[in-house]
Amino acid sequence: MLQFVNDHIVCRPVICKSLCDRIFIPVVEFQHVNKWFGTLHVLKEIDLQIESGEVVVICGPSGSGKSTLIRCINRLEAVQSGEIIVAGKQLSDPSLDLRALRAEIGFVFQQFNLYPHLSVMENITLGPIKVRRVSREEGEKTAMQLLERVGIPDKAGAFPASLSGGQQQRVAIARALAMQPKIMLFDEPTSALDPEMINEVLEVMTDLARDGMTMVVVTHEMGFARRVAHRVVFMDEGQIIEEGKPESFFAEPKSPRAKQFLSKILFH
Amino acid sequence: MNYHFDWSVLWTGQSGQWLLQGVVTTLEISVLAWLLALGLGTLSGALRTVPFAPLRALATCYVEFFRNVPLLVWMFFWYFALPPFLPQSLQDWLFNHGAEFWAGTVALGVYHGARFSEVIRAGIQAIPKTQFEAAISTGLSTGQAYRLIILPIALRLIIPPATNESLNLLKNSSVALTIGVAELTFQTRQIETYTARAFEALTAGTLIYLALCLTIAFVMARVERRFAIPGMIARVGAAEH
């Protein structure tokens, strides 16, 4: 992989550096990854490459290992064998600066997990101030821009408990974006939401994808996958069963298990 | 029964002064021990929940060692058993500066610190694990996540049981009379000895402890309301915000 990166550094013109970053370099790579919880084999020989700027949706029945897979990317879960490379860093490297790596990876949880004792503004500025060492003034300016972007600039002074689920999740997205991450990971971001709030969160995610953010999304929102994803990865029992462009995956899934899964969630 | 109450024993002679000194000493030893207990308890309670196993083990040893020996034994230990192992100069200094007071404070502090530790651990464990994960996912260190997120939430959650512990600590400061600390119970007994008026002396002591404890409970209830997380915990009678 290093060779691959170097080739591009050598050959590309300087002016298209940022463009090339977006197009060619894999930012997440799984190589023969295995993980067990006790005796339960939750990830089996996972091989996966995610390119910069790509939006990948991971779907599959519950217990298939999709949340575990996404949690491995910022090492909330450690793996027992294989290698994961994120932004050029091997996660198994003992000298890895895990904090610096995590600062580059935004993570959005199913349960939002806002800090309940801090205001929306403080939720968003805490990371930039404590980790990135930006000034409070600058942090708040960025936070206001992000709150505009997720559509709730009027909630800066509110506390999380006074917000709806959809608003809380949008704050959580703004909090992750405030760190200016290279990758955004979403672990079932709409599963805890009332139906009428799902769209407001998906819209924010769609905008983010249009802006070229690299995104890995575990979700059951197949409409979102169809409209926004560049690639759909289908998992079952800890394995990647198939992957492909959303058009082909939804129109003609190759494996019987994907067919069965899709028939259950698309036509009920 | 033919007992003539004589409440004047509480303010004639030196009684009033003794009681006052007793209250001051009780408050001094309790406040210092409380600070020690809260510090040790918060630290060890937090360490019992961290990912790094050796730190968890260390904190567990502290808790199990100190909470499973009677407070009275700790008082004797810190006052009689430990000082000979200290440097001579420190021993001299201690015994010129109320060694019994410091031994009592440390005994009370480390004993209640072990108990506070469990209260704080329970508070931390009441917070979903993903709250911690959300904090470290933004690049915060484990220490920062605890200091900025986990402990501020846990300390709010545990105010009711922490109030209990604080009241017990104040009442347990009376055990320090056994190593000669002239706190409130000590002074009450001194009045009883000088006046042979057990009922009046002990009634005075009882009422003073009651007043101190009610004050603490009142203050802690105010603290709980002041630091309540908006909208997080429903409580009966709490004002709308």
Side-chain angles (χ1 to χ4, degrees):
Chain A
M1 196 212 108
L2 262 180
Q3 191 55 50
F4 177 81
V5 173
N6 285 339
D7 284 347
H8 279 280
I9 289 169
V10 173
C11 73
R12 72 190 169 203
V14 175
I15 47 164
C16 82
K17 184 174 179 302
S18 66
L19 188 65
C20 292
D21 274 344
R22 284 197 180 286
I23 294 169
F24 297 115
I25 301 172
V27 281
V28 178
E29 191 170 0
F30 283 69
Q31 298 170 344
H32 312 300
V33 168
N34 284 282
K35 177 172 177 60
W36 287 264
F37 284 126
T39 55
L40 188 66
H41 199 171
V42 284
L43 293 179
K44 298 172 187 165
E45 284 297 311
I46 300 290
D47 281 301
L48 183 67
Q49 277 201 2
I50 293 159
E51 307 290 318
S52 190
E54 200 180 11
V55 178
V56 176
V57 161
I58 301 175
C59 62
S62 54
S64 59
K66 50 196 194 305
S67 280
T68 307
L69 181 124
I70 201 176
R71 287 163 58 85
C72 287
I73 297 175
N74 71 344
R75 228 177 81 178
L76 287 178
E77 305 285 353
V79 300
Q80 280 89 9
S81 80
E83 184 61 83
I84 302 171
I85 299 156
V86 179
K89 308 262 185 350
Q90 299 195 341
L91 297 197
S92 63
D93 181 358
S95 67
L96 173 72
D97 184 348
L98 195 53
R99 288 181 58 194
L101 182 82
R102 283 179 175 150
E104 305 289 336
I105 307 173
F107 201 108
V108 176
F109 294 81
Q110 182 178 345
Q111 297 295 343
F112 331 133
N113 291 317
L114 297 180
Y115 312 134
H117 61 302
L118 301 178
S119 70
V120 164
M121 178 57 83
E122 291 165 328
N123 264 273
I124 299 173
T125 56
L126 186 76
I129 290 171
K130 298 291 176 184
V131 180
R132 296 264 190 247
R133 303 272 164 210
V134 308
S135 67
R136 176 167 300 278
E137 196 184 11
E138 198 188 325
E140 289 185 353
K141 205 174 119 203
T142 313
M144 274 317 296
Q145 289 166 354
L146 288 167
L147 282 174
E148 298 270 1
R149 192 165 162 190
V150 301
I152 38 173
D154 53 320
K155 297 294 184 188
F159 280 84
S162 68
L163 304 182
S164 71
Q167 290 170 335
Q168 288 194 50
Q169 193 61 300
R170 286 186 280 161
V171 173
I173 293 172
R175 177 175 69 180
L177 290 176
M179 296 300 290
Q180 300 180 321
K182 291 198 175 82
I183 313 162
M184 286 285 285
L185 308 176
F186 296 82
D187 189 3
E188 302 207 25
T190 58
S191 298
L193 295 176
D194 289 341
E196 72 265 31
M197 291 169 185
I198 289 175
N199 274 338
E200 63 190 51
V201 171
L202 291 181
E203 275 165 26
V204 169
M205 290 167 62
T206 305
D207 285 346
L208 204 54
R210 299 264 148 82
D211 290 346
M213 176 62 78
T214 309
M215 291 164 63
V216 186
V217 185
V218 172
T219 186
H220 296 296
E221 293 297 326
M222 293 300 122
F224 173 82
R226 210 189 276 266
R227 278 182 285 110
V228 181
H230 299 122
R231 186 152 50 116
V232 176
V233 173
F234 176 73
M235 290 183 73
D236 190 24
E237 295 182 348
Q239 284 171 303
I240 293 177
I241 304 294
E242 70 173 273
E243 53 182 303
K245 292 195 175 307
E247 314 75 274
S248 56
F249 176 75
F250 288 113
E252 39 193 319
K254 292 187 281 279
S255 64
R257 272 187 281 183
K259 277 181 194 149
Q260 194 192 20
F261 175 75
L262 286 175
S263 71
K264 274 187 189 151
I265 64 163
L266 291 179
F267 308 111
H268 58 85
Chain B
M1 196 189 126
N2 195 18
Y3 188 87
H4 293 284
F5 292 104
D6 182 7
W7 296 101
S8 69
V9 299
L10 297 177
W11 52 82
T12 49
Q14 287 184 287
S15 296
Q17 197 191 342
W18 285 342
L19 278 177
L20 189 64
Q21 279 170 357
V23 171
V24 169
T25 306
T26 287
L27 287 175
E28 280 173 351
I29 192 171
S30 298
V31 167
L32 289 173
W34 188 82
L35 291 173
L36 182 62
L38 194 67
L40 284 172
T42 305
L43 183 67
S44 66
L47 289 183
R48 290 200 76 182
T49 65
V50 296
F52 190 56
L55 286 176
R56 283 206 306 274
L58 185 73
T60 306
C61 288
Y62 162 69
V63 169
E64 298 303 351
F65 190 60
F66 283 96
R67 74 170 175 178
N68 289 319
V69 173
L71 177 58
L72 184 61
V73 175
W74 279 128
M75 291 272 176
F76 289 164
F77 179 84
W78 291 100
Y79 186 58
F80 297 115
L82 196 71
F85 293 96
L86 297 173
Q88 191 59 46
S89 56
L90 186 58
Q91 279 187 52
D92 293 344
W93 186 89
L94 272 176
F95 283 97
N96 286 326
H97 291 83
E100 69 282 355
F101 177 83
W102 296 110
T105 302
V106 171
L108 200 58
V110 295
Y111 175 80
H112 278 280
R115 296 174 51 98
F116 259 118
S117 175
E118 287 296 90
V119 171
I120 284 159
R121 179 166 73 94
I124 292 171
Q125 288 176 339
I127 301 169
K129 185 169 164 249
T130 49
Q131 185 71 257
F132 174 72
E133 290 175 345
I136 60 170
S137 289
T138 62
L140 294 177
S141 66
T142 300
Q144 283 176 319
Y146 269 80
R147 189 163 52 79
L148 300 166
I149 311 297
I150 302 302
L151 284 174
I153 301 172
L155 288 173
R156 285 168 164 89
L157 294 177
I158 56 124
I159 290 175
T163 305
N164 252 345
E165 273 311 311
S166 305
L167 297 176
N168 271 340
L169 185 150
L170 182 110
K171 290 178 286 184
N172 278 345
S173 67
S174 60
V175 176
L177 86 86
T178 56
I179 55 172
V181 179
E183 45 67 68
L184 181 56
T185 307
F186 181 99
Q187 299 290 17
T188 309
R189 300 211 46 206
Q190 178 154 278
I191 294 168
E192 180 200 335
T193 309
Y194 272 73
T195 63
R197 289 277 167 184
F199 187 88
E200 288 84 344
L202 288 168
T203 300
T206 304
L207 292 178
I208 292 171
Y209 275 116
L210 193 63
L212 291 177
C213 286
L214 286 172
T215 306
I216 290 172
F218 175 78
V219 169
M220 292 292 267
R222 291 290 294 268
V223 168
E224 188 180 356
R225 274 200 297 279
R226 166 71 182 74
F227 288 99
I229 295 170
M232 192 186 176
I233 303 164
R235 40 175 83 64
V236 178
E240 276 92 283
H241 43 264

